[in-house]
């Protein structure tokens, strides 16, 4: 690949949940315009409960029935299909030529992204709904068995695992030395990424379904206790918290000092990341459980339809009423938006 | 298995969408004559021996009501307060001096226990995870391994909305029998069904969930306390019936509803009847209009109540009286109201106007279930103990 082509791909790829491992949700570097036509629609034939990811013109999406599809975004046709052994609710992650996804059989599958062939699998004792996170050749994932696992990216061999005591549906954020994750026992954990040793834990008032974002030494996460928490990444100390109207299963997206997260009370909330001051909140649906993503001057959220809100004011800029994909995350590529619906369709909007 | 209409229609669960795709016909006149009640054919599991613990269970006609305003504050349920309420109610129901002995009347260590939650209407009003945790804790205290406890409902998607997966203990199983938006008829037992043609639908059967037919040995039913646009209220009976069988939305087509007699009929089918040994109604929240799916907080009270009974009919009779009382206090029409002028085809109007409804509600389903032997429907005969 030429340098120019690589650069082009870097602005078009979307290799993990919320765009990249920093959960930036595709910040402002991703140009986004109001879509005005549907380019194609792919029907999986089964429900889709996770989000697509994108690399080098191929969209990877898993259906609940356990089928992982590689869809050519230029045609909307599937290049191959990999069938996992059980249902899949996990958003795939991409690293090089490997695509990883969790499965309800307790395994994380590594699949060759060109051929669709299984490379290896790594087992836990319960379903894996979180999205695997890759850093420095290690794959990290949480399981409903209450443990966080670290396995080797090349082989799937275990490095370490740590029992946290509650179901883990939160997708971890992995920094150079630390891993941050929410847990069903209501705590936010910081682990040493090399060993899994617990560095700190901070309790919230109920279980955690939300996935953390970490930026500027702040861990941002929602809890089912209705609060958004900003924690000191080094100590776990609560820097600020903000109360919404109901529990939070959504995950935050951040860009600079701007942060946004949805709540089950139907609002999308925008904060000043440093102070916790509310910038705006906008009603977007009856219930919001999907994470928002940040585009060029807008925040996108799926809550029944797909909404794009002005990042400065929270006012609705445009809305696409395709599918009922309220738990999924739109993929914002350079000239396209890809949406997965709960009823199993993938829409490409231009 | 034949693909059923419900699966084929991909019935949703979010208010307006679901009602539209389930065949709501805005042209159907509310004042037209209702269709006749069809014959209902029931097929239970062959040769199943009924249990004395089955509905109406060990304490017919007895309903224990415990309440504490501190059980819920600003929509947050207090785990310790709920724990105390549940223990108190179980002792009162059984006459035992310890909660453990009370639970032991229903559950044995070798049981596989299904906890039938009601996530429909999550997150605004659903079975509280805090209550479900306490039930799980009580069952585990009896020696039931966590892996033998299943928290289940029909729609996995609704379970997700309630975040039960993240909020309940590890090792227990959380089962959505089917997906709300797509999927096959897998998960249902083809030989156990109800056959009835309500409105000329092409698929006339509703099948029992396989986990109820074969997997669990006891069911703890955890309904919520709600008005229901088609059945009048949704309580213990409806949570069991419509959460166990598929293809049941076909029993109501606006403005008519055959939830009476369908709800009671379905509850008599074995082994559902025998396995359902205890009902714990979550009245932390109480929906007095817009049920079962409303998210409008204006119609949701927070009384902090638990009802406990083995008799679902007696329990739902108490619930029905409570919902009626609340609607009266709020100036809303009775759930028995059958004024054609109150019917609207617009779900948005229904969700925001307590004077409007989508169907002629059928609260008579509770009394009808009593006549089928499932419990006591006469308020004067119900031993309603308010603690």
């Amino acid at each position: 690949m030429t340098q120019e082509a690589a650069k082009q791909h870097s602005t078009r790829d979307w290799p993990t949940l919320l765009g990249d491992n920093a959960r930036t949700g595709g910040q402002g570097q991703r140009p986004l315009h109001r879509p005005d036509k549907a380019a194609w629609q792919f029907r999986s034939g089964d429900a889709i409960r996770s989000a697509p990811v994108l690399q080098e013109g191929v969209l990877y999406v898993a259906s609940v029935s356990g089928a992982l599809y590689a869809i050519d975004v230029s045609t909307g046709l599937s290049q191959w299909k990999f069938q996992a052994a059980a249902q899949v609710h996990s958003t795939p992650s991409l690293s090089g030529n490997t695509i990883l996804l969790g499965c309800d059989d307790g395994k994380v599958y590594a699949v060759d992204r060109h051929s669709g062939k299984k490379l290896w699998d790594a087992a836990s004792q319960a379903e894996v709904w979180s999205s695997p996170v890759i850093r420095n050749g290690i794959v990290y994932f949480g399981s409903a068995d209450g443990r966080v696992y670290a396995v080797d990216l090349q082989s799937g061999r275990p490095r370490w695992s740590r029992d946290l005591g509650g179901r883990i549906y939160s997708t971890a954020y992995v920094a150079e030395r630390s891993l941050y994750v929410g847990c069903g026992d209501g705590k936010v954990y910081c682990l040493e990424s090399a060993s899994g040793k617990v560095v700190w834990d901070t309790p919230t008032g109920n279980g955690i379904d939300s996935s953390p974002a970490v930026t500027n030494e702040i861990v941002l996460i929602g809890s089912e206790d209705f609060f958004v928490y900003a924690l000191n990444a080094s100590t776990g100390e609560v820097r600020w918290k903000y109360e919404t109207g109901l529990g939070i299963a959504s995950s935050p997206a951040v860009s600079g000092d701007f942060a946004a997260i949805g709540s089950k009370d139907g609002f999308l909330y925008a904060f000043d990341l440093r102070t916790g001051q509310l910038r705006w909140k906008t009603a977007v649906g009856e219930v919001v459980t999907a994470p928002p993503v940040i585009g060029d001057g807008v925040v996108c959220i799926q809550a029944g339809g797909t909404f794009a809100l002005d990042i400065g004011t929270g006012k609705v800029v445009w809305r696409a009423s395709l599918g009922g994909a309220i738990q999924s995350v739109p993929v914002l590529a350079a000239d396209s938006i890809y949406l997965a619906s709960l009823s199993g369709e993938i829409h490409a909007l231009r | 298995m034949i693909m059923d209409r419900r699966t084929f229609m991909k019935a949703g669960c979010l208010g307006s969408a679901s009602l539209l795709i389930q065949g709501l016909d805005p042209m159907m006149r509310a004042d037209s004559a209702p269709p006749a009640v069809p014959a209902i054919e029931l097929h239970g599991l062959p040769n199943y021996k009924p249990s004395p613990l089955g509905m109406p269970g060990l304490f017919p006609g007895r309903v224990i009501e415990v309440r504490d305003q501190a059980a819920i504050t600003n929509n947050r349920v207090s785990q310790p307060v709920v724990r105390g309420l549940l223990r108190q109610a179980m002792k009162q129901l059984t006459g035992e001096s310890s909660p453990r002995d009370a639970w032991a009347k229903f559950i044995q260590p070798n049981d596989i226990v299904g906890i039938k939650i009601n996530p429909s209407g999550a997150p605004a009003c659903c079975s509280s995870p805090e209550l479900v945790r306490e039930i799980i804790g009580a069952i585990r205290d009896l020696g039931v391994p966590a892996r033998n406890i299943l928290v289940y409902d029909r729609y996995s998607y609704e379970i997700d909305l309630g975040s039960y997966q993240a909020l309940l203990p590890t090792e227990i199983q959380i089962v959505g029998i089917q997906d709300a938006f797509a999927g096959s008829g897998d998960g249902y037992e083809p030989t156990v069904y109800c056959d009835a043609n309500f409105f000329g639908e092409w698929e006339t059967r509703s099948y029992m969930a396989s986990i109820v037919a074969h997997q669990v040995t006891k069911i703890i039913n955890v309904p919520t306390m709600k008005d229901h646009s088609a059945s009048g209220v949704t309580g213990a009976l409806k949570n069991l019936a419509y959460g166990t069988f598929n293809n049941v939305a076909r029993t109501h087509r606006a403005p008519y509803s055959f939830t009476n007699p369908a709800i009671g009929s379905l509850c008599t089918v074995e082994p559902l009847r025998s396995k359902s040994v205890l009902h714990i109604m979550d009245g932390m929240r109480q929906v007095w209009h817009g049920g079962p799916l409303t998210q409008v907080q204006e119609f949701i009270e927070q009384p902090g109540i638990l009802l406990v009974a083995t008799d679902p009919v007696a329990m739902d009779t108490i619930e029905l009286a409570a919902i009626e009382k609340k609607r009266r206090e709020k100036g809303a029409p009775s759930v028995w109201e059958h004024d054609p002028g109150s019917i609207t085809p617009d779900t948005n109007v229904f969700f925001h106007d307590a004077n409007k409804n989508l169907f002629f509600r059928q609260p008579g389903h509770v009394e009808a279930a009593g006549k089928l032997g499932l419990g006591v429907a006469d308020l004067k005969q119900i031993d309603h103990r308010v603690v």
Side-chain angles (χ1 to χ4, degrees), chain A residues 12 14 32 39-40 51-54 57-59 71-74 76 302 306 328-341 345-350:
Chain A
R12 290 180 174 175
W14 187 278
L32 179 70
W40 49 258
V53 292
L54 177 69
V58 181
L59 196 68
I71 302 167
D72 184 335
V73 297
S74 63
Q302 291 197 316
T306 299
S328 190
V329 186
V331 169
L332 312 183
D335 57 355
S336 304
I337 301 173
Y338 303 101
L339 308 172
S341 79
E345 291 91 24
I346 304 292
H347 302 273
L349 308 181
R350 302 273 196 262

mmCIF file of all heavy atoms in Angstrom, chain A residues 12 14 32 39-40 51-54 57-59 71-74 76 302 306 328-341 345-350:
data_model
loop_
_atom_site.group_PDB
_atom_site.id
_atom_site.type_symbol
_atom_site.label_atom_id
_atom_site.label_comp_id
_atom_site.label_asym_id
_atom_site.label_seq_id
_atom_site.Cartn_x
_atom_site.Cartn_y
_atom_site.Cartn_z
ATOM 1 N N ARG A 12 -10.483 6.407 6.918
ATOM 2 C CA ARG A 12 -11.712 5.707 6.587
ATOM 3 C C ARG A 12 -11.949 4.487 7.468
ATOM 4 O O ARG A 12 -13.051 4.003 7.564
ATOM 5 C CB ARG A 12 -11.686 5.275 5.118
ATOM 6 C CG ARG A 12 -11.810 6.441 4.179
ATOM 7 C CD ARG A 12 -11.776 6.002 2.747
ATOM 8 N NE ARG A 12 -12.032 7.121 1.864
ATOM 9 C CZ ARG A 12 -11.969 7.054 0.544
ATOM 10 N NH1 ARG A 12 -11.655 5.918 -0.025
ATOM 11 N NH2 ARG A 12 -12.214 8.115 -0.192
ATOM 12 N N TRP A 14 -12.277 2.022 10.760
ATOM 13 C CA TRP A 14 -13.031 2.105 12.022
ATOM 14 C C TRP A 14 -12.874 0.733 12.666
ATOM 15 O O TRP A 14 -13.789 -0.080 12.705
ATOM 16 C CB TRP A 14 -14.493 2.425 11.696
ATOM 17 C CG TRP A 14 -15.392 2.711 12.837
ATOM 18 C CD1 TRP A 14 -16.017 1.794 13.639
ATOM 19 C CD2 TRP A 14 -15.823 3.984 13.307
ATOM 20 N NE1 TRP A 14 -16.793 2.420 14.568
ATOM 21 C CE2 TRP A 14 -16.707 3.761 14.386
ATOM 22 C CE3 TRP A 14 -15.556 5.302 12.935
ATOM 23 C CZ2 TRP A 14 -17.320 4.796 15.092
ATOM 24 C CZ3 TRP A 14 -16.183 6.319 13.626
ATOM 25 C CH2 TRP A 14 -17.045 6.075 14.686
ATOM 26 N N LEU A 32 -17.946 14.455 7.830
ATOM 27 C CA LEU A 32 -19.252 13.830 7.826
ATOM 28 C C LEU A 32 -20.260 14.793 7.250
ATOM 29 O O LEU A 32 -20.265 15.970 7.586
ATOM 30 C CB LEU A 32 -19.657 13.472 9.256
ATOM 31 C CG LEU A 32 -21.034 12.832 9.426
ATOM 32 C CD1 LEU A 32 -21.034 11.431 8.852
ATOM 33 C CD2 LEU A 32 -21.432 12.801 10.891
ATOM 34 N N ALA A 39 -26.984 3.708 -0.355
ATOM 35 C CA ALA A 39 -26.184 3.105 -1.421
ATOM 36 C C ALA A 39 -26.520 1.625 -1.588
ATOM 37 O O ALA A 39 -26.650 1.126 -2.700
ATOM 38 C CB ALA A 39 -24.707 3.280 -1.123
ATOM 39 N N TRP A 40 -26.617 0.938 -0.474
ATOM 40 C CA TRP A 40 -27.001 -0.469 -0.529
ATOM 41 C C TRP A 40 -27.507 -0.907 0.831
ATOM 42 O O TRP A 40 -27.347 -0.208 1.836
ATOM 43 C CB TRP A 40 -25.863 -1.376 -0.998
ATOM 44 C CG TRP A 40 -24.523 -1.189 -0.318
ATOM 45 C CD1 TRP A 40 -23.444 -0.528 -0.816
ATOM 46 C CD2 TRP A 40 -24.121 -1.688 0.978
ATOM 47 N NE1 TRP A 40 -22.391 -0.562 0.076
ATOM 48 C CE2 TRP A 40 -22.781 -1.287 1.188
ATOM 49 C CE3 TRP A 40 -24.736 -2.427 1.972
ATOM 50 C CZ2 TRP A 40 -22.068 -1.588 2.351
ATOM 51 C CZ3 TRP A 40 -24.037 -2.736 3.141
ATOM 52 C CH2 TRP A 40 -22.717 -2.321 3.311
ATOM 53 N N ALA A 51 -21.992 -3.794 16.902
ATOM 54 C CA ALA A 51 -21.715 -2.737 15.931
ATOM 55 C C ALA A 51 -20.755 -3.246 14.855
ATOM 56 O O ALA A 51 -19.922 -4.109 15.118
ATOM 57 C CB ALA A 51 -21.106 -1.533 16.641
ATOM 58 N N PRO A 52 -20.849 -2.712 13.644
ATOM 59 C CA PRO A 52 -19.886 -3.088 12.607
ATOM 60 C C PRO A 52 -18.523 -2.428 12.866
ATOM 61 O O PRO A 52 -18.431 -1.441 13.595
ATOM 62 C CB PRO A 52 -20.497 -2.513 11.318
ATOM 63 C CG PRO A 52 -21.845 -1.989 11.684
ATOM 64 C CD PRO A 52 -21.844 -1.755 13.151
ATOM 65 N N VAL A 53 -17.488 -2.981 12.249
ATOM 66 C CA VAL A 53 -16.188 -2.311 12.194
ATOM 67 C C VAL A 53 -15.735 -2.315 10.740
ATOM 68 O O VAL A 53 -16.229 -3.103 9.924
ATOM 69 C CB VAL A 53 -15.129 -2.979 13.106
ATOM 70 C CG1 VAL A 53 -15.485 -2.777 14.567
ATOM 71 C CG2 VAL A 53 -14.995 -4.464 12.787
ATOM 72 N N LEU A 54 -14.790 -1.450 10.435
ATOM 73 C CA LEU A 54 -14.441 -1.211 9.034
ATOM 74 C C LEU A 54 -12.936 -1.154 8.860
ATOM 75 O O LEU A 54 -12.240 -0.500 9.657
ATOM 76 C CB LEU A 54 -15.054 0.130 8.603
ATOM 77 C CG LEU A 54 -14.767 0.634 7.193
ATOM 78 C CD1 LEU A 54 -15.477 -0.242 6.159
ATOM 79 C CD2 LEU A 54 -15.237 2.084 7.058
ATOM 80 N N GLY A 57 -11.970 -0.864 3.300
ATOM 81 C CA GLY A 57 -13.099 -1.068 2.409
ATOM 82 C C GLY A 57 -13.925 -2.301 2.683
ATOM 83 O O GLY A 57 -14.779 -2.668 1.878
ATOM 84 N N VAL A 58 -13.693 -2.943 3.799
ATOM 85 C CA VAL A 58 -14.489 -4.114 4.161
ATOM 86 C C VAL A 58 -15.132 -3.868 5.524
ATOM 87 O O VAL A 58 -14.454 -3.494 6.482
ATOM 88 C CB VAL A 58 -13.640 -5.401 4.200
ATOM 89 C CG1 VAL A 58 -14.505 -6.606 4.560
ATOM 90 C CG2 VAL A 58 -12.962 -5.627 2.854
ATOM 91 N N LEU A 59 -16.424 -4.079 5.551
ATOM 92 C CA LEU A 59 -17.177 -3.903 6.784
ATOM 93 C C LEU A 59 -17.385 -5.288 7.400
ATOM 94 O O LEU A 59 -17.838 -6.209 6.728
ATOM 95 C CB LEU A 59 -18.533 -3.270 6.456
ATOM 96 C CG LEU A 59 -19.335 -2.649 7.581
ATOM 97 C CD1 LEU A 59 -18.654 -1.396 8.111
ATOM 98 C CD2 LEU A 59 -20.746 -2.306 7.097
ATOM 99 N N ILE A 71 -18.189 -7.632 4.422
ATOM 100 C CA ILE A 71 -18.995 -7.027 3.357
ATOM 101 C C ILE A 71 -18.167 -5.984 2.612
ATOM 102 O O ILE A 71 -17.620 -5.057 3.231
ATOM 103 C CB ILE A 71 -20.252 -6.358 3.950
ATOM 104 C CG1 ILE A 71 -21.074 -7.396 4.722
ATOM 105 C CG2 ILE A 71 -21.093 -5.706 2.863
ATOM 106 C CD1 ILE A 71 -22.155 -6.794 5.588
ATOM 107 N N ASP A 72 -18.071 -6.144 1.321
ATOM 108 C CA ASP A 72 -17.378 -5.175 0.474
ATOM 109 C C ASP A 72 -18.228 -3.904 0.414
ATOM 110 O O ASP A 72 -19.356 -3.931 -0.086
ATOM 111 C CB ASP A 72 -17.201 -5.775 -0.921
ATOM 112 C CG ASP A 72 -16.408 -4.865 -1.847
ATOM 113 O OD1 ASP A 72 -16.410 -3.627 -1.614
ATOM 114 O OD2 ASP A 72 -15.808 -5.392 -2.793
ATOM 115 N N VAL A 73 -17.682 -2.791 0.923
ATOM 116 C CA VAL A 73 -18.519 -1.590 1.017
ATOM 117 C C VAL A 73 -18.805 -0.972 -0.356
ATOM 118 O O VAL A 73 -19.707 -0.146 -0.484
ATOM 119 C CB VAL A 73 -17.891 -0.520 1.939
ATOM 120 C CG1 VAL A 73 -17.781 -1.032 3.353
ATOM 121 C CG2 VAL A 73 -16.551 -0.043 1.408
ATOM 122 N N SER A 74 -18.057 -1.375 -1.365
ATOM 123 C CA SER A 74 -18.336 -0.820 -2.686
ATOM 124 C C SER A 74 -19.535 -1.505 -3.342
ATOM 125 O O SER A 74 -20.193 -0.938 -4.213
ATOM 126 C CB SER A 74 -17.099 -0.927 -3.593
ATOM 127 O OG SER A 74 -16.769 -2.289 -3.787
ATOM 128 N N GLY A 76 -21.705 -3.922 -1.302
ATOM 129 C CA GLY A 76 -22.689 -4.397 -0.335
ATOM 130 C C GLY A 76 -22.817 -5.906 -0.325
ATOM 131 O O GLY A 76 -23.766 -6.443 0.253
ATOM 132 N N GLN A 302 -27.700 6.578 18.037
ATOM 133 C CA GLN A 302 -28.818 5.775 17.554
ATOM 134 C C GLN A 302 -29.802 5.543 18.687
ATOM 135 O O GLN A 302 -29.453 4.993 19.732
ATOM 136 C CB GLN A 302 -28.317 4.449 17.002
ATOM 137 C CG GLN A 302 -27.532 4.648 15.716
ATOM 138 C CD GLN A 302 -27.364 3.389 14.924
ATOM 139 O OE1 GLN A 302 -27.059 2.358 15.482
ATOM 140 N NE2 GLN A 302 -27.559 3.471 13.624
ATOM 141 N N THR A 306 -31.288 7.339 13.629
ATOM 142 C CA THR A 306 -29.944 7.851 13.847
ATOM 143 C C THR A 306 -30.005 9.375 13.828
ATOM 144 O O THR A 306 -30.479 9.970 12.861
ATOM 145 C CB THR A 306 -28.995 7.355 12.746
ATOM 146 O OG1 THR A 306 -28.957 5.929 12.795
ATOM 147 C CG2 THR A 306 -27.595 7.902 12.941
ATOM 148 N N SER A 328 -26.904 -0.194 18.505
ATOM 149 C CA SER A 328 -25.723 -0.273 17.690
ATOM 150 C C SER A 328 -25.048 1.097 17.599
ATOM 151 O O SER A 328 -25.510 2.074 18.160
ATOM 152 C CB SER A 328 -26.087 -0.788 16.297
ATOM 153 O OG SER A 328 -24.931 -1.087 15.579
ATOM 154 N N VAL A 329 -23.941 1.125 16.872
ATOM 155 C CA VAL A 329 -23.158 2.346 16.746
ATOM 156 C C VAL A 329 -22.931 2.604 15.270
ATOM 157 O O VAL A 329 -22.471 1.715 14.555
ATOM 158 C CB VAL A 329 -21.788 2.193 17.433
ATOM 159 C CG1 VAL A 329 -21.030 3.503 17.423
ATOM 160 C CG2 VAL A 329 -21.952 1.689 18.845
ATOM 161 N N PRO A 330 -23.240 3.780 14.789
ATOM 162 C CA PRO A 330 -22.963 4.055 13.384
ATOM 163 C C PRO A 330 -21.456 4.134 13.137
ATOM 164 O O PRO A 330 -20.707 4.600 13.989
ATOM 165 C CB PRO A 330 -23.631 5.417 13.151
ATOM 166 C CG PRO A 330 -23.714 6.048 14.490
ATOM 167 C CD PRO A 330 -23.833 4.938 15.487
ATOM 168 N N VAL A 331 -21.054 3.647 11.990
ATOM 169 C CA VAL A 331 -19.655 3.784 11.575
ATOM 170 C C VAL A 331 -19.570 4.977 10.639
ATOM 171 O O VAL A 331 -20.245 5.012 9.598
ATOM 172 C CB VAL A 331 -19.171 2.501 10.871
ATOM 173 C CG1 VAL A 331 -17.832 2.728 10.197
ATOM 174 C CG2 VAL A 331 -19.071 1.363 11.873
ATOM 175 N N LEU A 332 -18.762 5.958 11.010
ATOM 176 C CA LEU A 332 -18.638 7.166 10.211
ATOM 177 C C LEU A 332 -17.371 7.067 9.382
ATOM 178 O O LEU A 332 -16.268 7.207 9.900
ATOM 179 C CB LEU A 332 -18.570 8.406 11.119
ATOM 180 C CG LEU A 332 -19.627 8.513 12.227
ATOM 181 C CD1 LEU A 332 -19.457 9.829 12.990
ATOM 182 C CD2 LEU A 332 -21.026 8.429 11.654
ATOM 183 N N ALA A 333 -17.520 6.774 8.123
ATOM 184 C CA ALA A 333 -16.363 6.721 7.234
ATOM 185 C C ALA A 333 -16.277 8.048 6.491
ATOM 186 O O ALA A 333 -17.078 8.954 6.713
ATOM 187 C CB ALA A 333 -16.514 5.554 6.269
ATOM 188 N N ALA A 334 -15.309 8.168 5.624
ATOM 189 C CA ALA A 334 -15.058 9.460 4.997
ATOM 190 C C ALA A 334 -16.271 9.984 4.231
ATOM 191 O O ALA A 334 -16.660 11.129 4.377
ATOM 192 C CB ALA A 334 -13.863 9.340 4.063
ATOM 193 N N ASP A 335 -16.877 9.140 3.446
ATOM 194 C CA ASP A 335 -17.996 9.607 2.635
ATOM 195 C C ASP A 335 -19.261 8.795 2.857
ATOM 196 O O ASP A 335 -20.218 8.909 2.105
ATOM 197 C CB ASP A 335 -17.620 9.533 1.146
ATOM 198 C CG ASP A 335 -17.217 8.133 0.738
ATOM 199 O OD1 ASP A 335 -17.138 7.261 1.632
ATOM 200 O OD2 ASP A 335 -16.991 7.902 -0.454
ATOM 201 N N SER A 336 -19.251 7.976 3.880
ATOM 202 C CA SER A 336 -20.373 7.079 4.093
ATOM 203 C C SER A 336 -20.650 6.889 5.580
ATOM 204 O O SER A 336 -19.781 7.122 6.418
ATOM 205 C CB SER A 336 -20.087 5.691 3.490
ATOM 206 O OG SER A 336 -19.771 5.793 2.128
ATOM 207 N N ILE A 337 -21.861 6.471 5.854
ATOM 208 C CA ILE A 337 -22.232 6.043 7.196
ATOM 209 C C ILE A 337 -22.795 4.637 7.074
ATOM 210 O O ILE A 337 -23.594 4.357 6.181
ATOM 211 C CB ILE A 337 -23.298 6.974 7.799
ATOM 212 C CG1 ILE A 337 -22.786 8.410 7.855
ATOM 213 C CG2 ILE A 337 -23.687 6.514 9.200
ATOM 214 C CD1 ILE A 337 -23.852 9.406 8.291
ATOM 215 N N TYR A 338 -22.367 3.764 7.967
ATOM 216 C CA TYR A 338 -22.870 2.400 7.953
ATOM 217 C C TYR A 338 -23.640 2.152 9.247
ATOM 218 O O TYR A 338 -23.143 2.433 10.340
ATOM 219 C CB TYR A 338 -21.720 1.402 7.809
ATOM 220 C CG TYR A 338 -20.906 1.650 6.564
ATOM 221 C CD1 TYR A 338 -19.684 2.313 6.635
ATOM 222 C CD2 TYR A 338 -21.377 1.256 5.316
ATOM 223 C CE1 TYR A 338 -18.947 2.580 5.494
ATOM 224 C CE2 TYR A 338 -20.641 1.512 4.165
ATOM 225 C CZ TYR A 338 -19.429 2.172 4.252
ATOM 226 O OH TYR A 338 -18.706 2.437 3.118
ATOM 227 N N LEU A 339 -24.851 1.624 9.083
ATOM 228 C CA LEU A 339 -25.733 1.418 10.222
ATOM 229 C C LEU A 339 -26.163 -0.045 10.270
ATOM 230 O O LEU A 339 -26.485 -0.631 9.242
ATOM 231 C CB LEU A 339 -26.997 2.278 10.090
ATOM 232 C CG LEU A 339 -26.821 3.765 9.837
ATOM 233 C CD1 LEU A 339 -28.173 4.400 9.539
ATOM 234 C CD2 LEU A 339 -26.202 4.422 11.063
ATOM 235 N N ALA A 340 -26.175 -0.609 11.453
ATOM 236 C CA ALA A 340 -26.709 -1.965 11.635
ATOM 237 C C ALA A 340 -28.023 -1.860 12.377
ATOM 238 O O ALA A 340 -28.127 -1.130 13.361
ATOM 239 C CB ALA A 340 -25.728 -2.813 12.433
ATOM 240 N N SER A 341 -29.022 -2.589 11.911
ATOM 241 C CA SER A 341 -30.320 -2.535 12.585
ATOM 242 C C SER A 341 -30.550 -3.813 13.374
ATOM 243 O O SER A 341 -29.999 -4.871 13.050
ATOM 244 C CB SER A 341 -31.448 -2.353 11.572
ATOM 245 O OG SER A 341 -31.760 -3.572 10.955
ATOM 246 N N GLU A 345 -30.419 -5.735 9.224
ATOM 247 C CA GLU A 345 -29.960 -5.106 7.990
ATOM 248 C C GLU A 345 -28.751 -4.201 8.261
ATOM 249 O O GLU A 345 -28.654 -3.578 9.300
ATOM 250 C CB GLU A 345 -31.058 -4.257 7.355
ATOM 251 C CG GLU A 345 -32.223 -5.041 6.796
ATOM 252 C CD GLU A 345 -33.310 -5.241 7.805
ATOM 253 O OE1 GLU A 345 -33.388 -4.436 8.749
ATOM 254 O OE2 GLU A 345 -34.063 -6.225 7.678
ATOM 255 N N ILE A 346 -27.879 -4.163 7.270
ATOM 256 C CA ILE A 346 -26.802 -3.177 7.261
ATOM 257 C C ILE A 346 -27.140 -2.172 6.171
ATOM 258 O O ILE A 346 -27.415 -2.559 5.028
ATOM 259 C CB ILE A 346 -25.434 -3.817 6.931
ATOM 260 C CG1 ILE A 346 -25.117 -4.948 7.908
ATOM 261 C CG2 ILE A 346 -24.332 -2.774 6.931
ATOM 262 C CD1 ILE A 346 -24.874 -4.496 9.300
ATOM 263 N N HIS A 347 -27.130 -0.898 6.522
ATOM 264 C CA HIS A 347 -27.416 0.153 5.560
ATOM 265 C C HIS A 347 -26.149 0.953 5.300
ATOM 266 O O HIS A 347 -25.450 1.324 6.242
ATOM 267 C CB HIS A 347 -28.485 1.112 6.097
ATOM 268 C CG HIS A 347 -29.778 0.433 6.457
ATOM 269 N ND1 HIS A 347 -30.784 0.222 5.542
ATOM 270 C CD2 HIS A 347 -30.219 -0.080 7.632
ATOM 271 C CE1 HIS A 347 -31.798 -0.383 6.138
ATOM 272 N NE2 HIS A 347 -31.484 -0.576 7.402
ATOM 273 N N ALA A 348 -25.882 1.207 4.046
ATOM 274 C CA ALA A 348 -24.792 2.125 3.677
ATOM 275 C C ALA A 348 -25.432 3.398 3.145
ATOM 276 O O ALA A 348 -26.209 3.358 2.184
ATOM 277 C CB ALA A 348 -23.913 1.491 2.598
ATOM 278 N N LEU A 349 -25.147 4.514 3.804
ATOM 279 C CA LEU A 349 -25.701 5.806 3.391
ATOM 280 C C LEU A 349 -24.574 6.659 2.843
ATOM 281 O O LEU A 349 -23.476 6.696 3.396
ATOM 282 C CB LEU A 349 -26.353 6.514 4.588
ATOM 283 C CG LEU A 349 -27.382 5.718 5.398
ATOM 284 C CD1 LEU A 349 -27.952 6.575 6.519
ATOM 285 C CD2 LEU A 349 -28.489 5.193 4.502
ATOM 286 N N ARG A 350 -24.869 7.343 1.771
ATOM 287 C CA ARG A 350 -23.867 8.233 1.183
ATOM 288 C C ARG A 350 -24.339 9.686 1.314
ATOM 289 O O ARG A 350 -25.524 9.956 1.189
ATOM 290 C CB ARG A 350 -23.668 7.917 -0.292
ATOM 291 C CG ARG A 350 -23.238 6.474 -0.551
ATOM 292 C CD ARG A 350 -21.734 6.305 -0.479
ATOM 293 N NE ARG A 350 -21.314 5.049 -1.072
ATOM 294 C CZ ARG A 350 -21.060 3.929 -0.365
ATOM 295 N NH1 ARG A 350 -21.202 3.902 0.934
ATOM 296 N NH2 ARG A 350 -20.659 2.826 -0.994
#
